[in-house]
């Protein structure tokens, strides 16, 4: 009979697994990082959603042009063009539409008149 000698077994080095423990702040940061791409995508589509697209339709103008005669004022033009409208509204609309600095006009100047006043003739 033969004998086998066994060496005493040594304990293998024990690997201790570290446990990841998320704190409250860590969970907030992790959630924010996970949600960030979604927030960027929503912001991108919200800001770019209102872009105009080119089409084949022709634009229509909401004004007619009038050539100013010598000595003509916006007030006189208002009384002549839109007698049923308030001249103050007419003058303000014409100034806004033409981006004028004031109500002073030059003879021969062409200004735009909103169609809501020219259609009322």
């Amino acid at each position: 009979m033969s004998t086998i000698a066994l060496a005493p077994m040594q304990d293998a080095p024990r690997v201790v697994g570290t446990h990841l423990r998320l704190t409250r702040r860590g969970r907030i940061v992790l959630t924010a990082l996970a949600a960030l791409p979604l927030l960027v995508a929503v912001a991108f589509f919200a800001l770019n959603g209102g872009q105009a697209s080119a089409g084949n339709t022709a634009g229509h103008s909401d004004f007619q042009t009038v050539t100013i005669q010598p000595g003509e004022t916006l007030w006189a033009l208002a009384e002549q063009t839109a007698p049923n409208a308030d001249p103050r509204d007419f003058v303000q609309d014409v100034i806004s539409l033409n981006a004028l600095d004031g109500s002073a006009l030059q003879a021969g100047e062409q200004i735009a008149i909103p169609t809501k006043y020219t259609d009322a003739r």
Side-chain angles (χ1 to χ4, degrees), residues 23-42:
T23 62
R24 181 174 183 259
R25 183 174 38 179
R27 285 190 300 269
I28 291 172
V29 168
L30 186 63
T31 303
L33 288 176
L36 186 64
L38 179 64
L39 292 174
V40 169
V42 167

Side-chain angles (χ1 to χ4, degrees), residues 1-26:
M1 191 162 163
S2 64
T3 54
I4 299 176
L6 295 173
M9 291 187 62
Q10 294 182 357
D11 290 336
R14 191 171 163 201
V15 177
V16 177
T18 58
H19 295 284
L20 179 64
R21 183 170 175 240
L22 284 177
T23 62
R24 181 174 183 259
R25 183 174 38 179

Side-chain angles (χ1 to χ4, degrees), residues 68-105:
I68 301 300
Q69 301 301 319
E72 193 169 23
T73 63
L74 280 179
W75 194 270
L77 188 62
E79 291 174 343
Q80 181 184 29
T81 306
N84 297 332
D86 186 1
R88 293 172 293 195
D89 293 336
F90 177 88
V91 170
Q92 184 58 44
D93 288 345
V94 170
I95 289 173
S96 297
L97 180 62
N98 293 285
L100 300 174
D101 291 332
S103 61
L105 299 174

Side-chain angles (χ1 to χ4, degrees), residues 98-121:
N98 293 285
L100 300 174
D101 291 332
S103 61
L105 299 174
Q106 299 290 325
E109 182 178 6
Q110 289 192 344
I111 61 168
I113 306 294
T115 55
K116 68 180 180 180
Y117 297 115
T118 57
D119 290 341
R121 282 183 171 179

